[in-house]
Amino acid sequence: MQLQPVDRVDHISAEDFQQRYYLPLKPVVITKLAKDWPALTKWNWAYFKEVVGSKRVGLYNNIKSDAFTPINTADDYKTFGEYVDMVSTGPAAWRIFLFNIFDHAPQLTEDFTWPDHLMKGFVKKYPMLFVGGATSITHMHFDIDMSHILHTQFTGRKRVLLFPFEEQHKLYRKPFEVLSLADFSNYYENGHPDYTQFPALKLARGYEVILNHGDTLFMPAGYWHHMEYLDSGFAMSLRALQASVSGKLRGVWNLIGMRNIDTLMKRTAPKWWYEYKKTSLLKAAEKELEASDVR
């Protein structure tokens, strides 16, 4: 993989953000966007345990889903308080996915400010909290609704790998899904990822960054991302719809058309559908290799 660091700025004007990052669809970390948010000092494990500790949440492990694994089905359930106790005592490869803590504790929305000066279209009904224990992994994917994301890290550090949407065939995207067939777990260690099995990954051009407490990452619409929790921690994502009609329609198609077709085929012809998709993605990757003359 051909990776470069993500730009980091303390502050940025709306004009610079639009011209340098939003319009070119380039990621950036804004280190002090959240510096005046009460959440930056107020939100911690003890506080969350106090306000939502009794709420039952779905937990997800690090096992990468296969062709027959139901999408977004939890691997276990605990109360939020039980989960906090588990991840606070050391490495625990379990994460909470798309937990809308604000439904249960709406007062938390008073602890941050929507950055409307940077971009429009925020879906203000759905800020989302992402929580993970040290060593937990969010596998390579892009967000199905194709929204722009501002992802603010609170407790803990997180390693993030990013690729533009257009790199999809080099990343072995599964047709009719938002997932990669390749496993990027611990991609920075020797022998990872598996270039023998997935040689087109060598061509993929992307970014990597470590998010620290208070960092806000701008992920442009459609960006592929793989996240690994270096410490137990949590982050909040604020989503903004694309300004263009075509961008919005692509998200609608993914949510309604693409996902429903995939679900139907997995139910009616799972083995044939899996083989068809695997053959298709390998052909697409081979074309990328042929175009670059790399093996």
Side-chain angles (χ1 to χ4, degrees), residues 1-13:
M1 296 184 292
Q2 302 172 48
L3 305 176
Q4 59 181 301
V6 175
D7 288 354
R8 302 182 73 95
V9 298
D10 289 342
H11 306 278
I12 190 167
S13 69

Side-chain angles (χ1 to χ4, degrees), residues 154-183:
F154 291 94
T155 297
R157 298 168 301 144
K158 182 185 296 173
R159 186 190 297 269
V160 183
L161 183 61
L162 296 159
F163 294 94
F165 180 78
E166 292 73 21
E167 300 293 279
Q168 58 178 326
H169 299 312
K170 301 171 189 173
L171 300 176
Y172 294 85
R173 177 193 173 180
K174 299 179 185 180
F176 290 89
E177 295 189 43
V178 300
L179 305 171
S180 167
L181 183 65
D183 188 349

Side-chain angles (χ1 to χ4, degrees), residues 45 80 83 94-97 129-133 136 229 233-235:
W45 295 122
F80 193 88
Y83 174 79
W94 291 92
R95 60 189 178 86
I96 299 174
F97 172 66
L129 192 72
F130 293 84
V131 187
S136 62
Y229 288 77
F234 54 88

Side-chain angles (χ1 to χ4, degrees), residues 180-206:
S180 167
L181 183 65
D183 188 349
F184 292 81
S185 301
N186 309 125
Y187 67 90
Y188 42 87
E189 296 180 353
N190 290 334
H192 301 277
D194 186 348
Y195 290 121
T196 301
Q197 186 176 4
F198 303 107
L201 292 179
K202 296 177 182 178
L203 306 176
R205 296 178 179 271

